[in-house]
Amino acid sequence: MSDPNGTDQPDPLDSFDEIIEAETTRDPDLAVIEAGSRTLRTQGGQAYADVPARPEDPEVDKALREVEAELATRWGETKLEPSVSRISALMDVLGEPQRSYPSIHITGTNGKTSTARMIEALLGAFELRTGRYTSPHVQSITERISLDGAPISAERFIETYQDIKPYVEMVDSSQEYRLSFFEVLTGMAYAAFADAPVDVAVVEVGMGGSWDATNVIDGDVAVITPIDLDHTDRLGETPAEIAGEKGGIIKQDATVILAQQPVDAAQVLLKKAVEVDATVAREGLEFGVVARQVAVGGQLLTLRGLGGEYPEVYLPLHGAHQAHNAAVALAAVEAFFGVGAQRAEPLDTDAVRKAFAAVSSPGRMEVVRRSPTIVLDAAHNPAGARVTAEAVQEAFDFSRLIGVVGASGDKNVRGLLEAFEPIFAEVVVTQNSSHRAMDADELAALAVEVFGEERVQVEPRLPDALEAAITLAEEEGEFAGGGVLVTGSVITVGEARLLLGKG
């Protein structure tokens, strides 16, 4: 067959049946479609421009800090009253801004933010004005709301907050509980997108789906990334129970893009889709990763979309999980444009390649320093840690890898440590500045049980932990290939990023 550029290509269907079989029988969380050499050492890090620093203007910085302080007086993101009544009331008094543009809604346990960034890049490549809402932020609260692929300015963030503040206070006075931190930010995002205005919004849920504050939109496309156990106290203790909550973003007549899922979760999601007459596209059946090869600074992919095959797609992100995120993102954008439904032809391959080549995902397998190489990854649960461990082994040829781990106390920290145990020569345990951070000594006790006492070092202060890890990585000499992986929490990664001079 020929690709859209006219060059002869082998028939992908010959190999795609094999890919389908591998995709549908694999362990959804651990599988890797093996391709290419594992010995190529990456040389390039990610772009940093999309993680803003503090405003240079002292007055703007002061005003932003005042907004942050006001938001901090509200319920944090881990304190929830499962209801959309307050955010619905806010949307009502704001004039329903979230209904002034179509949207792509994303839920799942892991991979949401990276997938959102990829969807945003693809839409931008087709000259659509985008708004993206993701959480949590790595360094700056303004990262959460993006327009045209970049975080909104501090000035615009402040202005948006001041614009909706009277309406927020009006809703506060009429509800049993005040609007939460996340609900106010969600209102700000939807208002900013309407004001821009955007052609399409790409929205990541905060937690769950049914009662998440973002769920006052009716997404034309609902994306569900891999589901695993996380937030079990609020979402359920099995993948099926969690899928029941996350499936709440599937709306009447929508298109559902379904990443690889545990069987029980997939059954729940498919049942929900049938109930609301939604159309479903499943990874490994209607779309997927055909081939994947490690490349300098990332990987080279052949993706099977809803409209055909897209060969030679360079993705500057590491790991099989990011390849699967790319397949999901591509299918979501195809669905948004009606590929596979209203139209049979695929998207323009060159535009797709250009979009993926420009993708970045700060704090996700991000190289921030060399000699020794320091990688940041925001894995914070066992499923995320497992795919990160796979990705590190594939992308780097470290002879000695030191872990720096600072985790949140409300996570399955033992499971996270167990996932990293095979790849860490030693681990330095620490804690970030969040009130949710697990105490370093408590974390150390768990780490000793997993790694053994001789492989664990405790440094409660993150700067000391980084310094200790670098020293350990350098013990084998300048050219021995030692490295450091900082992980365990988005907050730990964000604070390490600042300490290492990024942002």
Side-chain angles (χ1 to χ4, degrees), residues 239-325:
E241 290 176 349
I242 294 172
E245 289 296 333
K246 293 184 182 292
I249 74 165
I250 302 174
K251 304 298 175 61
Q252 189 74 32
D253 299 322
T255 300
V256 183
I257 304 301
L258 204 59
Q260 278 288 326
Q261 304 292 345
V263 173
D264 57 344
Q267 290 172 339
V268 170
L269 295 169
L270 291 171
K271 181 181 179 182
K272 171 67 175 180
V274 169
E275 290 172 355
V276 296
D277 294 322
T279 302
V280 179
R282 299 154 293 178
E283 183 185 6
L285 294 174
E286 286 77 25
F287 68 94
V289 180
V290 175
R292 193 175 71 82
Q293 183 174 351
V294 177
V296 174
Q299 52 193 310
L300 192 65
L301 310 175
T302 298
L303 300 176
R304 173 81 170 179
L306 305 179
E309 187 168 303
Y310 299 81
E312 298 181 1
V313 174
Y314 175 69
L315 180 68
L317 301 175
H318 301 294
H321 61 297
Q322 294 290 17
H324 292 290
N325 289 341

Side-chain angles (χ1 to χ4, degrees), residues 197-490:
V198 302
D199 297 314
V200 54
V202 182
V203 178
E204 173 189 337
V205 303
M207 185 185 299
S210 297
W211 41 259
D212 185 73
T214 63
N215 204 30
V216 289
I217 57 171
D218 293 322
D220 301 77
V221 178
V223 176
I224 304 180
T225 66
I227 288 174
D228 207 281
L229 300 182
D230 199 10
H231 302 295
T232 53
D233 57 329
R234 295 182 176 90
L235 303 181
E237 297 183 353
T238 67
E241 290 176 349
I242 294 172
E245 289 296 333
K246 293 184 182 292
I249 74 165
I250 302 174
K251 304 298 175 61
Q252 189 74 32
D253 299 322
T255 300
V256 183
I257 304 301
L258 204 59
Q260 278 288 326
Q261 304 292 345
V263 173
D264 57 344
Q267 290 172 339
V268 170
L269 295 169
L270 291 171
K271 181 181 179 182
K272 171 67 175 180
V274 169
E275 290 172 355
V276 296
D277 294 322
T279 302
V280 179
R282 299 154 293 178
E283 183 185 6
L285 294 174
E286 286 77 25
F287 68 94
V289 180
V290 175
R292 193 175 71 82
Q293 183 174 351
V294 177
V296 174
Q299 52 193 310
L300 192 65
L301 310 175
T302 298
L303 300 176
R304 173 81 170 179
L306 305 179
E309 187 168 303
Y310 299 81
E312 298 181 1
V313 174
Y314 175 69
L315 180 68
L317 301 175
H318 301 294
H321 61 297
Q322 294 290 17
H324 292 290
N325 289 341
V328 169
L330 176 61
V333 174
E334 285 183 310
F336 181 79
F337 284 120
V339 174
Q342 289 86 17
R343 51 182 279 192
E345 68 275 12
L347 301 176
D348 180 78
T349 304
D350 286 339
V352 169
R353 289 174 178 151
K354 181 178 179 181
F356 277 121
V359 167
S360 69
S361 193
R364 278 77 179 176
M365 286 293 292
E366 179 184 21
V367 178
V368 293
R369 175 177 161 170
R370 297 290 184 181
S371 299
T373 298
I374 301 179
V375 183
L376 308 180
D377 191 85
H380 57 273
N381 56 42
R386 289 194 292 268
V387 296
T388 296
E390 290 271 358
V392 168
Q393 291 177 90
E394 178 183 77
F396 304 93
D397 58 351
F398 292 129
S399 59
R400 176 180 172 83
L401 180 62
I402 309 301
V404 174
V405 178
S408 295
D410 57 351
K411 298 293 182 179
N412 180 358
V413 179
R414 177 183 288 277
L416 181 139
L417 292 171
E418 289 173 343
F420 284 125
E421 189 277 331
I423 70 166
F424 287 164
E426 297 184 54
V427 61
V428 182
V429 298
T430 188
Q431 64 189 75
N432 58 55
S433 63
S434 168
H435 68 280
R436 295 170 56 201
M438 176 175 278
D439 178 78
D441 290 333
E442 184 181 351
L443 178 55
L446 277 177
V448 166
E449 293 177 8
V450 174
F451 289 84
E453 189 173 355
E454 69 282 356
R455 293 168 62 194
V456 178
Q457 183 169 333
V458 187
E459 295 290 351
R461 295 182 65 253
L462 183 56
D464 298 335
L466 292 171
E467 184 176 349
I470 291 168
T471 300
L472 289 168
E474 290 175 335
E475 281 184 355
E476 292 188 355
E478 183 179 356
F479 302 107
V484 175
L485 174 64
V486 183
T487 189
S489 163
V490 175

Side-chain angles (χ1 to χ4, degrees), residues 99-128:
R99 305 203 184 282
S100 63
Y101 39 79
S103 56
I104 297 175
H105 206 178
I106 307 168
T107 191
T109 301
N110 290 307
K112 297 186 294 294
T113 297
S114 293
T115 302
R117 286 177 170 273
M118 293 178 194
I119 291 172
E120 174 188 52
L122 284 164
L123 292 168
F126 290 96
E127 300 184 353
L128 292 184

